[in-house]
Amino acid sequence: MPREPRHLKVTQDQYFKAALSQLAAQGAEGLTISWLCRALGVTSGSFYHYFGGWAGFVEALLTHWEAEQTQRIVELARAAADPEQRLDVLRQQATDLPHDAEAAIRAWGRGEERVSQTQQRVDARRHAALLAIVSDLGVRPEDAERLATTGMALLVGMQQLQRPVDIDMLGAVFDELGRTIRDYAGRAASSRS
């Protein structure tokens, strides 16, 4: 198989995309500088130019993952007009996550503190986003907290149970959670009237 020319310029995003793909396929053990450079057809100089070294790359990858798979999703959900729409947007975005890569990031975090810290921050932000939506639907605070925690448990649980994640099943599980949340919201509205 012919190699890409060495002068080919790659972007940081191409490094991140390749890294997430490799994490999904081989886990953190398969993600190395040499693998990335071979996969992208570049020399290690390109890697060091962008990231300075492995620690810089890991930090940049985690920042990218957090921004793209959490911050962007939360912002999309917040842009919707009402809590019902925000719940639907969040459900769709959560279904579309790179689940196999995320499962690998969780496994990686068990042995790497900076990965663990980012993964915990991502989980906390996702939980807070769901909690805000459920609360905005009028669900009582103690119920909203439990429902948001259930949503996170479903996401993480499906990522751990299946490889690859069955997207149809995940969607069905999220739909069931959505019905449960809406049922709680309906009961809360009835009790206020």
Side-chain angles (χ1 to χ4, degrees), residues 38-93:
R38 275 193 319 275
L40 294 171
V42 297
T43 65
S44 59
S46 168
F47 178 89
Y48 287 102
H49 168 76
Y50 277 126
F51 307 110
W54 183 251
F57 171 73
V58 171
E59 196 61 42
L61 174 64
L62 294 173
T63 299
H64 168 81
W65 172 62
E66 184 173 4
E68 284 298 307
Q69 303 305 331
T70 301
Q71 182 178 331
R72 181 185 60 80
I73 290 170
V74 170
E75 289 170 4
L76 283 170
R78 283 184 185 151
D82 67 56
E84 289 274 344
Q85 290 175 324
R86 289 196 297 274
L87 185 61
D88 291 338
V89 169
L90 195 61
R91 177 238 185 255
Q92 184 58 54
Q93 294 298 313

Side-chain angles (χ1 to χ4, degrees), residues 2-10 15 37-38 40-47:
R3 273 184 78 145
E4 293 292 326
R6 289 182 187 255
H7 66 276
L8 176 70
K9 295 192 186 261
V10 297
Y15 276 102
C37 292
R38 275 193 319 275
L40 294 171
V42 297
T43 65
S44 59
S46 168
F47 178 89

